[in-house]
Amino acid sequence: MASEDVAQLADSLAKTKVGEGELSYKGRGLKFDNAQSVEELVKDVENFQGLQALRLEGNTFGVEAAKAIAMALEKKSQLECCYWSDVFTGRVRAEIPPALTSLGSALMTAGAQLRVLDLSDNAFGPDGVKGIDALLKSSVCHTLQELRLNNCGMGIGGGKILAAALTVCYKESSALGSPLKLKVFIAGRNRLENDGATALAHAFKMMGSLEEVHMPQNGITHPGVTALASAMEHNPQLRVLNLNDNTFTKKGAIAMAEALKKLRNVQVINFGDCLVRSEGAMAIADALMEGLPILRELNLSFGEITQEAALVIAQAVRDKAQLEKLDLNGIDDEGEPEEDDEDDEDEDDDEDEDDDDDEEEEDEEEEEEEEEEDNEDDGVKKTEQDVKQEEILAKPQITTVSTPVSSSCPPDVASFLSFPSPDKLLRLGAKRALLIEQQVDVTDAAKTVEAFLKISSVFKEESEVKNAVVFSCDVCLCIFATAPTSSCVPWQSEDKVKPVQVVPGHLLALEHAVRQDYFPREYVAVLQAFVSRKSVGSCASARSTLLSTLAQIRPEC
């Protein structure tokens, strides 16, 4: 190859990212108005053998430019992934549907089998959905696994068109023996409202293959939420459900809670800013106790939930071993707010429902205006609210829920102290005891007790976890016992300690502690008498083990 050819190739590769099967013009900010302006891109497409993914994000294409690219795509039968988000910036809406139609027609001509179609951040409205209607109904999308249409302004009309197209795709692919198995659906910020959401819910129920659903900020109220809840029940592999910033109210939250009881694979739930209300939160707590065994994240923030309801949620997740994040920000200090008019109206009349929804939107706007007027007081209110929330979440009986942690605390330690779990303790590594000791004032009896309860709550007989727990407890208790400023041992502290719901780990870690040199032998008899009388519920076996050890130690004292 001539040196000038090598230089030309190097220059081309520097501008255009080429991966295995992928051609990327992502984020170059280029403007392609006509066929001439897109010649280089077209050549790259034509010369790319085995093209599987085409990334055009962050550029802008006119109708003629799209047609030129489409001609090159007509021979790309191996294309599977179209990342075409944010490709119409600065274009008038009338240009977008014909551009999409050209690209879709090319894929159908090529006989491509798409897995990913991303058209997010293209404000094409209902007409834009019409531009991809034929594509979605075609055999090209029988293999579609991810459909991303975030922030496209589809509206109710676009949502209905999309739902109808997905229904056709599913039915026709099923007739051929390979039904559509869409796994990821993303359509946030599209003003779908109840009718659009309900139409899509029917398609979701039919497919039954969804693993991720993201539909935040769509103006959906309880009728639409209820329809989606019914659809989710028929998608047993669902892992992520994000309906942030819609309006559940009590009815929608209860319907969704009933659906969640039947789902075993959900890992992430985002119902933040959804006005689930306290009664809805209680229903979700019930679902948490009955199912959702592998839940990792739960967001119920700013849902007008009272402190009492937040506590119930916190208690419901305490046994979720994989839980990493619980967001209950925005707990309501004022008590339960009044229900919306919709909860008291007869909903049999569709026109009445529409009127109720309009009134609800007006109420929300008024509430937002009131909030803006109160901005000057927000700092004080938030501080009081944070203190009260911390008091609730710091109660020992909810050992897996966020408690106040120093802002200087290393992230991993903060996560463990706020949300104890065996996995998080192990992830702290060999220096876990030192890291915890640095964040806890172990010269303070009450804080030492709290740290001991948190650490021991994750006790397991599994050797790695057991060793991590007992060693960390040893460090905290040993430092306390030898600290010159400590005037009493933690088990003798007169400080007020909040009631604790005893778990087996507490007693088993204590059984280890009493056998160590740092444990004062003069308190063995006192502890034995206390444990003998104390009711410990389901911890009978652990108590028996502790009492047996105490009985063996006492004669030596």
Side-chain angles (χ1 to χ4, degrees):
M1 181 180 291
S3 59
E4 59 270 19
D5 293 333
V6 174
Q8 185 177 358
L9 176 61
D11 182 63
S12 178
L13 290 175
K15 294 179 180 178
T16 306
K17 296 179 181 178
V18 180
E20 185 176 352
E22 177 183 291
L23 174 63
S24 177
Y25 271 69
K26 180 179 179 179
R28 293 178 58 178
L30 301 175
K31 186 176 182 181
F32 301 106
D33 294 323
N34 49 46
Q36 183 177 2
S37 65
V38 82
E39 283 181 354
E40 181 182 348
L41 193 160
V42 168
K43 288 181 180 179
D44 287 338
V45 172
E46 290 175 338
N47 295 331
F48 199 116
Q49 299 300 314
L51 181 63
Q52 296 178 6
L54 179 59
R55 309 198 74 112
L56 301 177
E57 311 102 304
N59 300 285
T60 178
F61 299 86
V63 176
E64 296 306 315
K67 288 181 178 180
I69 296 172
M71 291 181 65
L73 290 176
E74 288 181 354
K75 298 178 181 179
K76 300 301 175 180
S77 61
Q78 293 177 274
L79 188 62
E80 296 180 348
C81 303
C82 297
Y83 299 102
W84 298 344
S85 63
D86 189 21
V87 292
F88 296 116
T89 300
R91 304 293 170 182
V92 297
R93 182 170 291 186
E95 290 183 85
I96 301 176
L100 289 172
T101 299
S102 296
L103 293 168
S105 297
L107 297 177
M108 289 186 279
T109 300
Q113 296 285 289
L114 289 187
R115 289 191 299 106
V116 179
L117 178 59
D118 185 356
L119 292 169
S120 297
D121 301 315
N122 291 310
F124 49 53
D127 290 339
V129 184
K130 293 177 183 177
I132 59 172
D133 181 56
L135 173 64
L136 291 173
K137 291 177 179 177
S138 73
S139 61
V140 173
C141 290
H142 287 185
T143 53
L144 195 63
Q145 295 180 13
E146 299 184 19
L147 179 58
R148 302 170 181 267
L149 296 169
N150 199 60
N151 191 31
C152 290
M154 291 188 289
I156 295 173
K160 289 182 175 180
I161 296 169
L162 176 60
L166 290 174
T167 300
V168 170
C169 185
Y170 176 79
K171 290 182 176 179
E172 293 189 356
S173 59
S174 297
L176 295 174
S178 298
L180 170 67
K181 293 182 179 179
L182 190 66
K183 294 181 179 180
V184 177
F185 179 83
I186 301 177
R189 301 183 65 186
N190 272 290
R191 303 193 307 274
L192 295 171
E193 301 183 19
N194 289 333
D195 288 346
T198 300
L200 286 166
H202 291 315
F204 296 163
K205 183 183 292 188
M206 184 179 299
M207 289 185 291
S209 56
L210 289 169
E211 296 180 9
E212 294 188 27
V213 175
H214 301 262
M215 298 174 66
Q217 297 183 344
N218 270 295
I220 307 170
T221 60
H222 75 86
V225 173
T226 300
L228 288 171
S230 178
M232 295 306 105
E233 289 182 20
H234 293 78
N235 287 267
Q237 300 305 314
L238 187 69
R239 295 183 295 105
V240 179
L241 181 57
N242 176 9
L243 296 177
N244 184 282
D245 201 7
N246 290 291
T247 308
F248 283 39
T249 62
K250 177 182 72 177
K251 291 185 177 180
I254 291 175
M256 190 59 72
E258 288 301 311
L260 292 175
K261 290 179 181 179
K262 302 173 184 178
L263 298 171
R264 307 293 297 175
N265 293 300
V266 175
Q267 298 178 27
V268 178
I269 296 174
N270 187 345
F271 295 160
D273 290 293
C274 282
L275 232 64
V276 298
R277 300 271 168 74
S278 292
E279 192 167 347
M282 296 285 195
I284 292 172
D286 189 44
L288 289 165
M289 288 185 282
E290 289 190 25
L292 301 169
I294 59 173
L295 188 67
R296 291 192 295 105
E297 297 182 15
L298 174 62
N299 183 352
L300 294 176
S301 61
F302 301 99
E304 293 193 356
I305 300 173
T306 61
Q307 294 182 0
E308 180 182 2
L311 180 58
V312 173
I313 287 287
Q315 291 172 329
V317 300
R318 63 187 177 187
D319 293 326
K320 302 295 181 188
Q322 298 185 37
L323 194 64
E324 298 175 358
K325 179 180 178 181
L326 173 63
D327 191 343
L328 293 174
N329 277 310
I331 293 175
D332 180 56
D333 291 339
E334 305 288 331
E336 183 70 16
E338 293 182 5
E339 292 291 342
D340 291 343
D341 292 341
E342 46 152 48
D343 287 328
D344 299 321
E345 293 291 334
D346 182 357
E347 297 163 14
D348 292 335
D349 190 326
D350 290 338
E351 293 182 1
D352 287 346
E353 280 192 8
D354 292 339
D355 291 340
D356 290 342
D357 291 341
D358 292 341
E359 291 173 6
E360 184 178 340
E361 291 173 3
E362 292 173 3
D363 290 342
E364 289 175 359
E365 292 174 359
E366 291 175 2
E367 290 172 5
E368 289 174 359
E369 291 174 0
E370 292 173 0
E371 288 174 2
E372 290 174 1
E373 292 174 1
D374 293 338
N375 274 346
E376 293 182 359
D377 298 330
D378 281 351
V380 176
K381 290 181 179 179
K382 286 181 180 178
T383 301
E384 294 173 353
Q385 176 176 302
D386 289 344
V387 171
K388 291 182 179 179
Q389 183 175 355
E390 289 172 355
E391 290 176 354
I392 290 175
L393 300 183
K395 292 189 176 183
Q397 59 260 50
I398 41 177
T399 56
T400 57
V401 180
S402 179
T403 56
V405 178
S406 168
S407 60
S408 62
C409 191
D412 289 342
V413 180
S415 177
F416 173 75
L417 293 176
S418 299
F419 236 133
S421 74
D423 184 56
K424 290 180 182 178
L425 183 62
L426 294 178
R427 288 207 303 264
L428 291 178
K431 295 183 179 180
R432 63 180 67 86
L434 177 62
L435 292 173
I436 294 172
E437 181 268 329
Q438 289 174 345
Q439 302 305 322
V440 177
D441 182 5
V442 291
T443 64
D444 182 283
K447 292 178 180 178
T448 302
V449 169
E450 183 178 8
F452 175 82
L453 292 172
K454 288 175 179 291
I455 299 168
S456 60
S457 69
V458 304
F459 184 100
K460 284 186 175 181
E461 288 296 343
E462 179 186 338
S463 60
E464 188 177 11
V465 176
K466 179 179 179 179
N467 291 338
V469 168
V470 297
F471 182 71
S472 299
C473 288
D474 281 345
V475 171
C476 290
L477 295 178
C478 185
I479 293 175
F480 176 88
T482 57
T485 56
S486 61
S487 59
C488 61
V489 292
W491 36 84
Q492 188 196 26
S493 172
E494 295 180 358
D495 292 341
K496 291 184 179 180
V497 179
K498 297 181 178 68
V500 56
Q501 179 171 338
V502 179
V503 298
H506 295 149
L507 301 180
L508 294 173
L510 189 55
E511 187 271 339
H512 166 83
V514 299
R515 290 187 277 111
Q516 310 308 310
D517 292 339
Y518 60 72
F519 190 93
R521 290 297 182 261
E522 60 267 30
Y523 295 115
V524 170
V526 175
L527 181 60
Q528 185 178 24
F530 177 78
V531 174
S532 298
R533 295 196 304 267
K534 182 69 175 175
S535 174
V536 291
S538 61
C539 304
S541 177
R543 178 172 67 170
S544 177
T545 300
L546 175 57
L547 287 173
S548 176
T549 300
L550 290 170
Q552 294 173 18
I553 296 174
R554 188 172 179 182
E556 303 172 3
C557 300

